Amino acid sequence: MPDLDRLPRGFHPAWRAVADALRGQQPPPVVGDAIDKALARTVRGAGGLQWLLGLAGAVVACQEQGLLGPLEAFADSLEPVRATGVGSAFLDAAWSLAATEPPSEAPGSALDALVQSGLERMVDKLCVGPLAPDLVPTVYSSTDHLSTHVKRCIAEAQVACIARQITRRGCSGDVRAPRGRLSRPGTKGLLYEPIA
């Protein structure tokens, strides 16, 4: 039986609160709030993400041409350090989006879609993926049970808000977690809470 107090080797410290919330099967709003903070801290730690502008351009070119050549060329020219870790989530999102039809929205929407999809994939790559072998079957009955819970948690997170912050600031990586939506009663409020 795995030791649930220990995190896998190389686990990003920003995701510890999310890992603890998932281990405790916390409600989706609690996990979603932790995801917001972890995403913001991870993006800040990654520094500039200006290369995402070029990646979004390559995705648009792929969608218009119906070929993956522009994305392959961009990925080959990318520094290896950008293609691993945090950047790998955005690259995975780019490959997925490149194979879809181009959206009939504003030109900036390609970057918005790429960043939002990349952030959602980051949750799986940096937290859920490494933890899954320890969580199933000790905490969650099956991988489907874990996947369903994680989807609900991501739906509660404010990923779109973080993505807008990233794109509005030119992908500089200067983002803050949105204000939490959980009510946190003070001492007076806790005095009248029933003991469960």
Side-chain angles (χ1 to χ4, degrees):
M1 179 170 172
D3 184 2
L4 292 178
D5 290 340
R6 303 187 81 184
L7 293 172
R9 184 176 216 138
F11 193 82
H12 199 291
W15 294 87
R16 183 171 196 76
V18 180
D20 291 343
L22 286 173
R23 287 176 181 153
Q25 292 187 345
Q26 295 293 317
V30 173
V31 182
D33 190 53
I35 288 172
D36 290 339
K37 291 176 176 74
L39 284 172
R41 183 175 170 195
T42 303
V43 169
R44 277 194 313 274
L49 298 171
Q50 290 85 358
W51 60 275
L52 291 179
L53 299 168
L55 185 61
V59 168
V60 171
C62 288
Q63 290 173 334
E64 290 171 350
Q65 297 173 15
L67 301 169
L68 295 176
L71 186 54
E72 290 173 349
F74 184 85
D76 288 342
S77 69
L78 198 60
E79 299 172 40
V81 73
R82 300 276 183 218
T84 58
V86 173
S88 68
F90 294 108
L91 278 173
D92 288 351
W95 286 111
S96 179
L97 291 171
T100 62
E101 291 292 319
S104 58
E105 300 166 10
S109 66
L111 179 60
D112 293 335
L114 173 67
V115 172
Q116 184 167 343
S117 179
L119 290 173
E120 290 172 359
R121 288 174 185 263
M122 199 181 294
V123 175
D124 184 55
K125 283 188 155 291
L126 297 181
C127 184
V128 178
L131 287 178
D134 293 340
L135 295 177
V136 178
T138 55
V139 177
Y140 295 89
S141 59
S142 66
T143 54
D144 288 339
H145 182 209
L146 173 62
S147 175
T148 303
H149 185 66
V150 169
K151 284 178 186 171
R152 287 188 191 130
C153 297
I154 291 175
E156 288 289 332
Q158 300 178 58
V159 177
C161 180
I162 296 171
R164 278 192 304 275
Q165 283 186 53
I166 293 170
T167 57
R168 282 188 195 149
R169 296 179 178 159
C171 299
S172 66
D174 182 28
V175 295
R176 297 282 173 235
R179 184 176 296 276
R181 295 177 288 178
L182 298 173
S183 63
R184 300 189 195 282
T187 305
K188 186 176 180 182
L190 289 173
L191 287 173
Y192 299 104
E193 284 288 317
I195 297 174

